[in-house]
Amino acid sequence: MTHTSVKTAGAGLAAAALLLLAGATPSAHADTGNWLMLSVSHGENTTAGAAGGTLLRCDPPGGDHPHAQDACAQLSAADGRITALPAEDALCPMIYAPVTARAEGMWRDRPVTWTETFPNTCTLRAHTGALFALDGT
Protein backbone atom coordinates (compact mmCIF):
# COMPACT_ATOMS: atom_id res chain seq x y z
CA MET A 1 0.00 0.00 0.00
CA THR A 2 2.80 2.40 0.88
CA HIS A 3 4.54 1.49 -2.35
CA THR A 4 1.44 2.45 -4.34
CA SER A 5 1.17 5.73 -2.41
CA VAL A 6 4.75 6.59 -3.24
CA LYS A 7 4.14 5.91 -6.93
CA THR A 8 0.97 7.97 -6.82
CA ALA A 9 2.72 10.79 -5.00
CA GLY A 10 5.57 10.68 -7.50
CA ALA A 11 3.15 10.67 -10.41
CA GLY A 12 1.20 13.48 -8.76
CA LEU A 13 4.34 15.55 -8.35
CA ALA A 14 5.31 14.92 -11.95
CA ALA A 15 1.81 15.90 -13.11
CA ALA A 16 1.91 19.05 -10.96
CA ALA A 17 5.29 19.97 -12.39
CA LEU A 18 3.97 19.49 -15.92
CA LEU A 19 0.93 21.64 -15.13
CA LEU A 20 3.16 24.36 -13.71
CA LEU A 21 5.34 24.26 -16.81
CA ALA A 22 2.33 24.27 -19.10
CA GLY A 23 0.84 27.16 -17.15
CA ALA A 24 4.09 29.12 -17.34
CA THR A 25 4.47 28.67 -21.08
CA PRO A 26 1.48 30.79 -22.20
CA SER A 27 2.36 33.62 -19.82
CA ALA A 28 5.96 33.56 -21.02
CA HIS A 29 4.66 33.95 -24.57
CA ALA A 30 1.65 36.15 -23.86
CA ASP A 31 2.56 38.44 -26.79
CA THR A 32 2.47 35.64 -29.38
CA GLY A 33 -0.50 37.26 -31.16
CA ASN A 34 1.58 40.08 -32.73
CA TRP A 35 4.94 38.96 -34.09
CA LEU A 36 6.59 38.63 -37.48
CA MET A 37 9.80 37.07 -38.73
CA LEU A 38 11.06 39.39 -41.47
CA SER A 39 13.71 38.83 -44.13
CA VAL A 40 14.98 40.52 -47.27
CA SER A 41 16.99 38.69 -49.92
CA HIS A 42 18.53 39.89 -53.14
CA GLY A 43 16.95 38.61 -56.34
CA GLU A 44 13.50 37.58 -57.49
CA ASN A 45 11.65 35.04 -55.38
CA THR A 46 14.83 33.61 -53.96
CA THR A 47 14.79 31.45 -50.87
CA ALA A 48 18.02 32.92 -49.51
CA GLY A 49 17.51 34.43 -46.10
CA ALA A 50 14.23 32.57 -45.56
CA ALA A 51 15.72 30.42 -42.77
CA GLY A 52 16.84 33.37 -40.66
CA GLY A 53 15.56 36.85 -40.34
CA THR A 54 14.69 39.60 -37.94
CA LEU A 55 12.08 39.08 -35.25
CA LEU A 56 9.57 41.87 -34.72
CA ARG A 57 7.34 41.63 -31.66
CA CYS A 58 4.57 44.11 -30.94
CA ASP A 59 2.54 44.69 -27.75
CA PRO A 60 5.06 45.75 -26.50
CA PRO A 61 7.38 46.53 -29.42
CA GLY A 62 10.61 44.56 -29.33
CA GLY A 63 12.44 41.61 -30.78
CA ASP A 64 15.68 42.26 -32.65
CA HIS A 65 14.12 44.75 -35.10
CA PRO A 66 16.09 48.04 -35.09
CA HIS A 67 12.90 50.16 -35.52
CA ALA A 68 10.38 48.03 -33.62
CA GLN A 69 8.39 50.97 -32.23
CA ASP A 70 7.85 52.57 -35.67
CA ALA A 71 7.24 49.25 -37.44
CA CYS A 72 4.62 48.18 -34.88
CA ALA A 73 2.87 51.56 -35.09
CA GLN A 74 2.70 51.30 -38.89
CA LEU A 75 1.39 47.74 -38.73
CA SER A 76 -1.21 48.68 -36.12
CA ALA A 77 -2.46 51.53 -38.32
CA ALA A 78 -2.77 49.06 -41.23
CA ASP A 79 -4.42 46.36 -39.04
CA GLY A 80 -1.44 44.11 -39.69
CA ARG A 81 -1.93 44.10 -43.46
CA ILE A 82 1.44 44.78 -45.08
CA THR A 83 -0.21 45.58 -48.41
CA ALA A 84 -2.20 48.35 -46.67
CA LEU A 85 0.91 50.21 -45.48
CA PRO A 86 0.85 53.67 -47.05
CA ALA A 87 3.55 54.24 -49.64
CA GLU A 88 5.91 57.11 -48.92
CA ASP A 89 6.91 59.67 -51.53
CA ALA A 90 10.42 58.76 -52.61
CA LEU A 91 12.66 59.41 -55.58
CA CYS A 92 14.07 55.99 -56.30
CA PRO A 93 16.64 55.29 -59.02
CA MET A 94 15.47 53.31 -62.00
CA ILE A 95 18.09 50.65 -61.36
CA TYR A 96 16.83 47.09 -61.44
CA ALA A 97 18.37 45.29 -58.50
CA PRO A 98 15.46 43.18 -57.22
CA VAL A 99 14.94 42.39 -53.56
CA THR A 100 12.39 39.97 -52.16
CA ALA A 101 10.82 40.74 -48.80
CA ARG A 102 9.15 38.09 -46.64
CA ALA A 103 7.07 38.20 -43.49
CA GLU A 104 5.73 35.21 -41.57
CA GLY A 105 4.10 35.13 -38.19
CA MET A 106 0.92 36.14 -36.40
CA TRP A 107 -1.01 39.39 -36.17
CA ARG A 108 -3.93 39.53 -33.71
CA ASP A 109 -3.93 35.75 -33.72
CA ARG A 110 -4.23 35.60 -37.55
CA PRO A 111 -1.45 33.88 -39.51
CA VAL A 112 0.59 36.17 -41.76
CA THR A 113 2.48 34.93 -44.81
CA TRP A 114 3.57 37.63 -47.24
CA THR A 115 6.20 37.78 -49.98
CA GLU A 116 6.80 40.47 -52.57
CA THR A 117 9.64 41.33 -54.92
CA PHE A 118 10.52 45.01 -55.43
CA PRO A 119 12.70 46.48 -58.20
CA ASN A 120 15.24 47.76 -55.65
CA THR A 121 15.76 48.51 -51.97
CA CYS A 122 14.60 52.12 -52.31
CA THR A 123 11.23 50.98 -53.66
CA LEU A 124 10.95 48.36 -50.89
CA ARG A 125 11.49 51.03 -48.23
CA ALA A 126 9.06 53.43 -49.92
CA HIS A 127 6.31 50.77 -49.84
CA THR A 128 6.97 49.21 -46.44
CA GLY A 129 8.36 52.05 -44.31
CA ALA A 130 10.06 51.01 -41.09
CA LEU A 131 8.86 47.41 -41.35
CA PHE A 132 11.69 46.29 -43.64
CA ALA A 133 14.27 48.85 -42.51
CA LEU A 134 16.26 45.98 -41.05
CA ASP A 135 19.80 47.34 -41.34
CA GLY A 136 19.35 49.96 -38.64
CA THR A 137 19.15 52.97 -40.97
Side-chain angles (χ1 to χ4, degrees), residues 32-35 59 75-80 106-112:
T32 57
N34 292 319
W35 65 272
D59 301 326
L75 276 172
S76 290
D79 194 30
M106 298 291 284
W107 186 265
R108 294 188 181 146
D109 298 322
R110 294 183 318 241
V112 173

Side-chain angles (χ1 to χ4, degrees), residues 96-122:
Y96 189 67
V99 291
T100 301
R102 287 181 187 73
E104 290 192 36
M106 298 291 284
W107 186 265
R108 294 188 181 146
D109 298 322
R110 294 183 318 241
V112 173
T113 302
W114 178 86
T115 302
E116 188 167 339
T117 300
F118 295 87
N120 53 48
T121 304
C122 178

Side-chain angles (χ1 to χ4, degrees), residues 26-133:
S27 64
H29 300 290
D31 61 343
T32 57
N34 292 319
W35 65 272
L36 295 175
M37 185 60 79
L38 306 167
S39 65
V40 177
S41 56
H42 295 281
E44 296 181 30
N45 298 318
T46 62
T47 57
T54 299
L55 176 64
L56 171 66
R57 289 191 180 277
C58 296
D59 301 326
D64 54 359
H65 194 289
H67 305 286
Q69 186 94 19
D70 293 336
C72 289
Q74 290 173 349
L75 276 172
S76 290
D79 194 30
R81 293 175 294 134
I82 298 169
T83 56
L85 293 172
E88 299 172 3
D89 287 333
L91 295 174
C92 293
M94 293 182 62
I95 297 172
Y96 189 67
V99 291
T100 301
R102 287 181 187 73
E104 290 192 36
M106 298 291 284
W107 186 265
R108 294 188 181 146
D109 298 322
R110 294 183 318 241
V112 173
T113 302
W114 178 86
T115 302
E116 188 167 339
T117 300
F118 295 87
N120 53 48
T121 304
C122 178
T123 308
L124 165 67
R125 294 274 175 88
H127 282 86
T128 62
L131 185 61
F132 284 97

